[in-house]
């Protein structure tokens, strides 16, 4: 095991440790990540359901090409998590803002 000096430990901590810089409570991310994923998936399911509703009661062969074209015409919604910021960058931004 490599022995590190306190100064080296602090430097590595600033590089590796990460903090939530998004501006919301870090505990609320647990709920909001699930909620955002749920909302996007629900919207995509709704889009596909409305496109498929065109087929109701009609022979599939007649309208299949039109439905496939309409489904491909709209890009599905996406949501991605934003990574937390490194602690060193966050502290540097705070220092610039306050001083």
């Amino acid at each position: 095991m490599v022995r590190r000096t306190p100064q080296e430990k602090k430097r590595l901590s600033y590089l590796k440790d990460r903090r939530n810089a998004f501006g919301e409570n870090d505990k609320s991310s647990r709920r909001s990540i699930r909620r955002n994923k749920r909302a996007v998936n629900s919207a995509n399911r709704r889009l596909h359901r409305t496109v498929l509703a065109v087929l109701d009661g009609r022979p599939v062969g007649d309208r299949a090409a039109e439905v496939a074209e309409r489904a491909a015409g709209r890009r599905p919604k996406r949501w991605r998590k934003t990574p937390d910021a490194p602690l060193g960058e966050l502290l540097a931004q705070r220092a610039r803002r306050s001083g």
Side-chain angles (χ1 to χ4, degrees):
M1 185 168 142
V2 178
R3 298 194 87 173
R4 295 199 166 103
T5 64
Q7 293 83 5
E8 190 177 4
K9 287 181 185 178
K10 185 65 131 182
R11 187 182 61 77
L12 288 174
S13 170
Y14 280 170
L15 287 174
K16 293 183 177 184
D17 292 353
R18 302 182 78 78
R19 292 294 184 274
N20 185 349
F22 190 65
E24 68 178 4
N25 185 344
D26 56 343
K27 309 300 188 292
S28 69
S29 297
R30 281 182 250 155
R31 281 191 305 273
S32 59
I33 288 170
R34 290 192 299 251
R35 183 180 57 236
N36 291 332
K37 287 171 75 172
R38 221 175 22 233
V40 166
N41 290 332
S42 173
N44 289 333
R45 282 193 303 268
R46 191 177 314 115
L47 167 69
H48 288 111
R49 211 172 34 243
T50 56
V51 168
L52 289 174
V54 173
L55 280 180
D56 275 351
R58 295 192 178 95
V60 176
D62 297 343
R63 307 279 295 219
E66 180 186 341
V67 168
E69 184 179 323
R70 283 181 68 183
R74 292 188 59 188
R75 186 171 53 232
K77 294 184 184 292
R78 284 183 45 176
W79 180 80
R80 301 189 78 176
K81 293 194 297 186
T82 55
D84 291 340
L87 181 60
E89 288 180 20
L90 202 63
L91 293 176
Q93 285 176 355
R94 273 190 203 160
R96 282 193 301 267
R97 231 179 328 171
S98 67

